[in-house]
Amino acid sequence: MAKCKYCGKNVTWVKEGRKNVPVEDDGGVHNCENFANSRNSIRTIKPDELDPDIIKQYEENMEKARKK
């Protein structure tokens, strides 16, 4: 049995269609407030906000890693 990494409750993963859904021990779908709060804190960065030198360095590092 798996544990929710946000609140620590026991959950079982059930396949509904093409989607995996966490189900608690009592049979209800697991909705976690801690998970919802963590999703709200995600920050998005637009490509034009980044320095072009940083993007170039990132692309070069990815190319080096791919060649290895």
Side-chain angles (χ1 to χ4, degrees), residues 4-63:
C4 175
K5 74 178 189 178
Y6 298 98
C7 66
K9 287 185 179 179
N10 288 331
V11 294
T12 304
W13 289 93
V14 177
K15 189 93 166 173
E16 287 186 4
R18 298 182 72 190
K19 197 173 174 187
N20 290 325
V21 179
V23 177
E24 291 181 0
D25 292 337
D26 63 355
V29 176
H30 178 68
N31 291 323
C32 184
E33 261 187 59
N34 296 337
F35 174 68
N37 291 339
S38 70
R39 290 196 70 185
N40 291 337
S41 68
I42 294 174
R43 188 178 81 152
T44 57
I45 299 174
K46 295 178 184 174
D48 60 338
E49 293 176 0
L50 293 173
D51 185 27
D53 294 332
I54 293 174
I55 295 173
K56 182 179 178 184
Q57 181 183 5
Y58 173 77
E59 289 173 347
E60 289 173 355
N61 291 340
M62 290 298 291
E63 187 67 28

